[in-house]
Amino acid sequence: MSESKAADEAFCRSCGETIKRASELCPNCGVRNDEHSPVGGGPTGGSHGLTQYETSVSDTWWYGVAAGTGIWLLLVIASATTSDLGAAGGLLVLIGWVGLPLSVYFDTRYVRASSEWDPNVAVWVVLTAVWFLNVPAGAAYLYRRHRVLGEP
Ligand SMILES: [Zn+2]
């Protein structure tokens, strides 16, 4: 005699009984049916366990990264065209110098909790805190972030 199964049937991995593919448990031995797949399917996961990096950090820190990069771009251009940035320039420097690395710091926490990218926080914070380097660094960060998250 030969065991045969219909298209909608599967063999139980435990007892070998022919069971309905749709049934979650084997009626014969009670072992979970491997063929059974819940509707919709499970999450198809990233490369690292996202729950490992679960965070309450909001996804809005990239605005700070974008604004900070913009401020630095403005400052770099301004410093190239005029020797005196004035009081407003000084204030912008302060905002940019603190704001950009701070935004990057918080945003990396969000990014690593929400995507496969696991940014090196220290590297990005340092890069975005260095004069002249922070503009391309901020832009590169935003570009990379966009690639992995598919958001702005
Ligand atoms: Zn069974």
Side-chain angles (χ1 to χ4, degrees):
M1 106 189 193
S2 63
E3 288 273 13
S4 64
K5 58 173 183 148
D8 64 336
E9 287 176 331
F11 294 121
C12 171
R13 67 180 160 90
S14 178
C15 68
E17 185 77 17
T18 307
I19 54 175
K20 289 289 178 195
R21 210 173 268 272
S23 58
E24 196 172 345
L25 301 174
C26 170
N28 188 46
C29 68
V31 164
R32 187 162 290 276
N33 172 21
D34 282 344
E35 300 282 356
H36 175 76
S37 51
V39 179
T44 44
S47 61
H48 66 191
L50 295 183
T51 47
Q52 187 187 344
Y53 294 113
E54 200 128 36
T55 178
S56 57
V57 173
S58 84
D59 64 343
T60 52
W61 279 102
W62 78 267
Y63 289 111
V65 179
T69 306
I71 286 173
W72 279 116
L73 183 63
L74 209 67
L75 286 170
V76 168
I77 293 169
S79 70
T81 52
T82 173
S83 55
D84 183 22
L85 292 175
L91 187 66
L92 281 178
V93 168
L94 198 67
I95 293 171
W97 220 313
V98 177
L100 183 55
L102 195 72
S103 299
V104 166
Y105 174 77
F106 283 109
D107 195 65
T108 51
R109 300 174 80 93
Y110 171 78
V111 167
R112 67 161 47 162
S114 315
S115 74
E116 291 183 17
W117 184 26
D118 190 1
N120 189 323
V121 181
V123 168
W124 285 103
V125 166
V126 168
L127 283 179
T128 50
V130 178
W131 177 244
F132 284 121
L133 206 59
N134 40 29
V135 174
Y141 179 87
L142 289 171
Y143 177 72
R144 186 90 193 264
R145 187 191 197 281
H146 170 74
R147 288 284 299 273
V148 295
L149 285 175
E151 290 170 19

